[in-house]
Structure formats: C-alpha cells, structure tokens
Amino acid sequence: VSATKGSIEVKVNGVGNVGARNIYKIGSLYGGKISGFKAEEGVYVEQNELIATIDSVDLSDKIAEQKALKSKLLNDIKSSRVDKLSAKVNFKYQNEIFNKNKKLYKLHSISSLDYQKYLTAKDTAKLKIDSIDAHIASLKDQVRQIVALINGLQKRLVRYTIKAPISGYVTKKVAVNYQIIMPNQTLLELVNTKDVWVKTYIDTRLSGKVKLGDSASIKLRSSNKIYKGKVVNINPINNPITYEREIDVAFDKLPIPFYLEEQAIVKIDIKTLKDVLIIPTKALSTYKEKNGVWILKGNKVEFKPVKILAYEGKKVALKDVSADAKLVIPDPKKVALKDGLKIYHD
C-alpha cells in the first residue's frame, strides 16, 4: 500500500457515566403523612406543579380560630369607637357645666365643694375618653399580632404543599403515598434536562488540549446511536491518584428517556489535521521498540521510524514518510520482517 494525503480528525477519548450538574432533592420542612403523591420515576413535571401534600394536622383549624378571634376584636374596636363618641358628648356637656359654674365660683355664688364636684365630673369625662383610646389601641395591637400569626400559619401551611421548584424529570422516588415522613426528609429527586451531561475522566496529558465548547460524540451503552454534544465543564482539579481530569460533555439533544449512571463513551474533537500523510493502522509496526513502517526498496524491506500524529478509526496520520513510498503490511502468519529481508511480490 501507499500513503495518501488527506485530513484526519484528532480526538480525545474517554469513558464515563451519565450524570447531572444539579440533582434537586425535593422534600418537606415538616414531618407528617404524605397524601396526593402521584409522581413516578421517569415522569416529567412542570415548575410549580403539585407533587404532594403533607397532613398539616390542626393547622387549618388554628388559622380559622385566629381569624374568628380577629373578627371579634374588630367588632370590639367598632363598639369602643361608638363608646368614645358617647364619651366625647358627655365630656362636652360636663365641660360646659364646669365653665358656667367656674364663673359662678369666681363670683362666690357657689361653694368650693360644688366647684370641685363639677371639676371632677369634667376630668372624669376626659379620662373616660383617654381610657377608651387606650383600649382601642390595645385592641389594634392584638389585631396586628393575630394578623402576623395568621400570616405565619398560612406560610407554614403553604410549606405543607410541595411543588416542583423546576421543570424536569423524576429520577428517583424515595417515599410513597400515606407514608409518615420526618422533617427535611427527601421525597424524590428531580433533574433539569439542561443539567444532564456525561461525566468522563481523561488522562491529564491529553485533557490539556480540550477546551470548553469543543464538539464531541457520545455513545451510550444501551444504544448504537451516536449523539452529538459539546464540552460544557472542565474540572480545574486533577485526581492526584489516577492523574485524570473530569471533563463534562452535554448532549446537544438529550435522548429521552435517559438513565443516570449509564456508561457512555465520549470522543472529543480536538482539531483537524489537514494535508497529512495517512496510512492504514495495519501498516504500522513496532521494530526494536520503535513505531514505524516497512518500506519496500527493490526486493528488500527497510524499517522506517515515524512520528505518529493522530489516530482515527483504522487510519493513522504520520510524518517522516514520502507519499510515493511503497509500504509493506506484515503478515503475522509468515516470517517476521527485518531490515534487509528479501521478499517476493507481484
């Protein structure tokens, strides 16, 4: 065979598993009995969709009780305001009587005792108004406290209603309907389709060539189909034991259904080598611990060491060989080739 000129894609290969950037663990802040829990694994749920409710025991009754107390206090405020109007009328009347008798007292027409009686009646009428004002203020404070309590109970009641924080697929269900759960216990795990990727680990000697946005192909273990993707994350920390770096590749179009932890083979496109010499991989040999090719010169073969640039399937790009060189492919069933060996050919 002869080497040919052409282009070859340089790729970095890796094996990994389907994972996700974020896995949302959905649960309840409060314990209780689950009801209305219909979500199943593999089902897609919309954001804010009802997932389940937790039995709030007597929380609704407490809210109703506080609302009734609030209504009673508001009625008491209305009644007190009516009493205040009556007290104001009485104060006005007592004040007028006092002012008249005050003049008489200055003229010595009434006794000091009578004057004090009218003064006391006026002051008592004024204190009555002040007392009603204080009572109304106290009732208003109680109403504000009850409103705050009702709001708190209602917010707490909302937390007994569990809704999906995002749109996504249920990947794991860890509770069932009517189960009694503890506070902060997880009910299910939810994954956003935009977060799904293949987490692969690549030798740091090769991963340094990978860049964010590089095109890639993904082959899942459960399918023969090749999916397109791209590099979306490169972990800046290397594994000090395996000398590998985590590189995450996202699907351009996520296959549905998908399975977390499914094994996948990833091939990342690094660059394209253009106008290079390409030979079949079977023409590549190792001789005296060097990679190279056997070149036919006349009726003898000569081993020529080469520099390998890249592999692609059954092809390999290399240098240090002329395009018109005739290459000999070793036959494992025949005598091993060596420098200067004569061969017979057509």
Side-chain angles (χ1 to χ4, degrees), residues 6-289:
S7 299
I8 193 169
E9 297 289 338
V10 182
K11 299 178 183 290
V12 170
N13 301 332
V15 177
N17 298 88
V18 177
R21 185 189 299 269
N22 297 303
I23 296 178
Y24 297 86
K25 297 180 182 293
I26 313 301
S28 170
L29 291 174
Y30 305 102
K33 184 171 69 174
I34 305 172
S35 63
F37 189 25
K38 299 179 181 179
E40 298 294 339
E41 292 181 359
V43 172
Y44 185 83
V45 296
E46 296 285 352
Q47 185 176 17
N48 292 323
E49 182 177 333
L50 180 64
I51 292 176
T53 55
I54 307 298
D55 186 0
S56 59
V57 193
D58 58 348
L59 204 57
S60 296
D61 293 340
K62 287 182 179 179
I63 293 174
E65 181 183 326
Q66 293 301 317
K67 285 183 175 180
L69 182 55
K70 174 189 170 185
S71 179
K72 178 181 179 302
L73 289 172
L74 291 175
N75 287 332
D76 287 347
I77 290 174
K78 288 180 181 179
S79 176
S80 294
R81 285 172 175 163
V82 172
D83 291 343
K84 182 179 178 180
L85 291 175
S86 176
K88 282 184 174 181
V89 170
N90 181 53
F91 172 73
K92 183 179 180 182
Y93 171 72
Q94 295 296 337
N95 192 48
E96 288 175 352
I97 293 176
F98 169 75
N99 289 330
K100 289 179 181 178
N101 284 280
K102 183 178 180 181
K103 293 177 181 177
L104 293 174
Y105 175 69
K106 288 180 178 180
L107 296 173
H108 304 287
S109 297
I110 62 173
S111 67
S112 176
L113 184 63
D114 287 337
Y115 173 75
Q116 287 296 328
K117 181 181 68 173
Y118 294 123
L119 176 61
T120 300
K122 183 203 73 165
D123 290 344
T124 300
K126 178 65 172 62
L127 289 172
K128 180 67 174 178
I129 296 173
D130 294 341
S131 175
I132 293 173
D133 281 338
H135 182 59
I136 291 174
S138 175
L139 291 174
K140 286 181 177 180
D141 285 340
Q142 292 181 59
V143 170
R144 281 192 289 269
Q145 291 174 2
I146 289 174
V147 168
L149 179 58
I150 291 172
N151 290 338
L153 291 173
Q154 286 177 331
K155 287 180 180 178
R156 186 175 176 183
L157 185 62
V158 168
R159 294 191 183 105
Y160 279 91
T161 302
I162 303 170
K163 295 184 179 181
I166 60 160
S167 298
Y169 283 90
V170 178
T171 57
K172 190 175 182 181
K173 184 176 178 180
V174 293
V176 295
N177 223 10
Y178 308 117
Q179 177 180 337
I180 304 297
I181 63 169
M182 300 297 290
N184 298 312
Q185 182 175 333
T186 299
L187 275 67
L188 55 79
E189 293 181 0
L190 198 61
V191 169
N192 189 326
T193 54
K194 295 179 181 178
D195 290 340
V196 178
W197 59 23
V198 174
K199 183 182 294 186
T200 184
Y201 297 90
I202 296 176
D203 191 307
T204 51
R205 291 172 296 182
L206 302 173
S207 61
K209 301 175 183 177
V210 179
K211 302 184 299 296
L212 288 175
D214 280 347
S215 298
S217 61
I218 304 168
K219 183 183 180 302
L220 299 172
R221 187 179 179 86
S222 62
S223 172
N224 291 322
K225 186 176 179 180
I226 304 297
Y227 298 93
K228 293 182 179 180
K230 61 178 176 292
V231 176
V232 293
N233 182 60
I234 300 174
N235 195 319
I237 301 176
N238 295 328
N239 188 312
I241 298 175
T242 63
Y243 299 102
E244 292 177 323
R245 181 177 297 158
E246 178 190 327
I247 293 180
D248 303 310
V249 178
F251 294 87
D252 286 350
K253 185 177 181 181
L254 181 67
I256 301 297
F258 63 90
Y259 304 95
L260 296 183
E261 301 303 329
E262 179 177 357
Q263 191 179 65
I265 297 174
V266 173
K267 294 183 178 180
I268 303 171
D269 300 328
I270 302 301
K271 60 182 176 179
T272 301
L273 296 178
K274 297 182 179 180
D275 197 28
V276 293
L277 290 175
I278 300 173
I279 65 169
T281 52
K282 62 183 179 179
L284 196 64
S285 301
T286 301
Y287 183 66
K288 293 183 179 180
E289 298 182 354

